[in-house]
Amino acid sequence: MSICSVSHRPVIAPRLEPVSSPVQRVASTPVSRPGNDLRQKLMTDSFEQGPSRLGGVSGAFTKSFAGPGFGAPSAGSTEPVNPSEPWLAKNNVGSPYNSNMLFIEPSQKSQFKYTNTFTNNTNQPQTITLWNKTGENGNPNDGQNFDKSTPKTFTLQPGESQLVAFDNNSSVAWCASKDGTAKPGANSGQTWGEATFANAATGWSGYDTSQISPAGHNGKMSITNEATGHTVTETNAWQTPSDDPAGRDVGVPAGPLNLVTTLG
């Protein structure tokens, strides 16, 4: 979960199973560095860590073709990271920045391995802000700082949908504007959605919703895995850093992932 303040949930390493099995908590003891413990804990999502966190599969995941038209992998995104320091991972943001995300037509969907269909079920326009968690400056978890990194925005009229495709090893987040404007700062008070597609180290993907910070998070949002129907909403979003990950973090083993995010 990435947010713009330090009131963030810590790294939790649940047992990630296919969504037909409940998610379980296991102990995790990440390496600490003096004066930076909290920052380290905030920079990874447990749902993307896969079985390697439990002593299973380890090593770099062999990437597969995610679809046409993406930019080259960004600098550092293919470099292995010590498993005990996942907060140092730089996810793929494409080269140039944001070229790991493509707006596509429904007729193109079959060409891509990882997608999210955003749908506006409210009675007013909704502007989505969609950003890479790795910042434009190359720093992990810095993409949420819109004065330093440029997000993608798009507006959905009532009943309208937009399909977005993602490249391998993309880790992203999004939220909807309270007032329908495209100004990123207007969006930070809403429920956040998060997803990772084919983590470079494990191949796993995952998704969740969060209302942890900033204070006042609200708004109805559901995220559904099209293949399984497994859904998370604002009612089982992350609310506090100590929440149990069961029902919140949804881990998905290596393979295609098509999500549907519905507002309202």
Side-chain angles (χ1 to χ4, degrees):
M1 164 62 194
S2 59
I3 57 173
C4 54
S5 79
V6 295
S7 54
H8 194 300
R9 61 177 165 89
V11 173
I12 302 172
R15 180 182 297 275
L16 295 177
E17 304 286 353
V19 294
S20 58
S21 302
V23 180
Q24 302 293 326
R25 178 191 297 248
V26 297
S28 175
T29 54
V31 174
S32 296
R33 291 183 180 176
N36 201 29
D37 292 358
L38 180 60
R39 179 69 174 170
Q40 292 170 359
K41 291 179 179 179
L42 309 188
M43 297 177 105
T44 186
D45 284 302
S46 56
F47 57 60
E48 66 188 23
Q49 295 308 301
S52 63
R53 297 290 282 182
L54 305 176
V57 178
S58 60
F61 171 66
T62 301
K63 292 186 172 76
S64 59
F65 181 66
F70 295 113
S74 52
S77 62
T78 59
E79 297 174 2
V81 175
N82 188 326
S84 66
E85 298 177 310
W87 53 83
L88 298 180
K90 295 181 180 180
N91 297 100
N92 179 29
V93 297
S95 182
Y97 191 72
N98 285 340
S99 63
N100 63 317
M101 302 186 284
L102 298 174
F103 295 140
I104 63 172
E105 297 296 327
S107 60
Q108 299 174 287
K109 184 176 180 180
S110 62
Q111 301 176 44
F112 296 89
K113 196 168 184 178
Y114 308 107
T115 66
N116 193 351
T117 302
F118 295 86
T119 299
N120 179 11
N121 275 1
T122 75
N123 59 5
Q124 59 185 357
Q126 296 289 334
T127 294
I128 308 299
T129 299
L130 171 64
W131 64 95
N132 278 297
K133 291 187 183 179
T134 296
E136 203 160 355
N137 55 11
N139 292 335
N141 217 43
D142 219 15
Q144 63 197 342
N145 299 316
F146 303 136
D147 59 334
K148 301 176 182 178
S149 295
T150 306
K152 286 198 171 187
T153 62
F154 55 96
T155 299
L156 299 176
Q157 298 301 318
E160 192 175 20
S161 296
Q162 175 63 58
L163 188 58
V164 184
F166 299 88
D167 201 0
N168 295 299
N169 194 28
S170 294
S171 189
V172 300
W174 61 88
C175 54
S177 171
K178 288 182 177 181
D179 59 6
T181 67
K183 184 179 179 181
N187 300 13
S188 60
Q190 294 293 82
T191 300
W192 284 22
E194 299 180 300
T196 292
F197 301 95
N199 176 271
T202 67
W204 279 55
S205 300
Y207 56 100
D208 66 28
T209 54
S210 180
Q211 295 182 324
I212 293 179
S213 179
H217 256 168
N218 56 63
K220 291 185 176 182
M221 178 189 294
S222 68
I223 307 173
T224 301
N225 181 344
E226 287 186 351
T228 65
H230 192 89
T231 299
V232 294
T233 73
E234 76 284 350
T235 63
N236 56 5
W238 283 92
Q239 302 289 345
T240 73
S242 59
D243 282 348
D244 191 301
R248 295 178 173 85
D249 273 357
V250 182
V252 181
L257 178 59
N258 302 114
L259 299 177
V260 175
T261 295
T262 303
L263 306 174

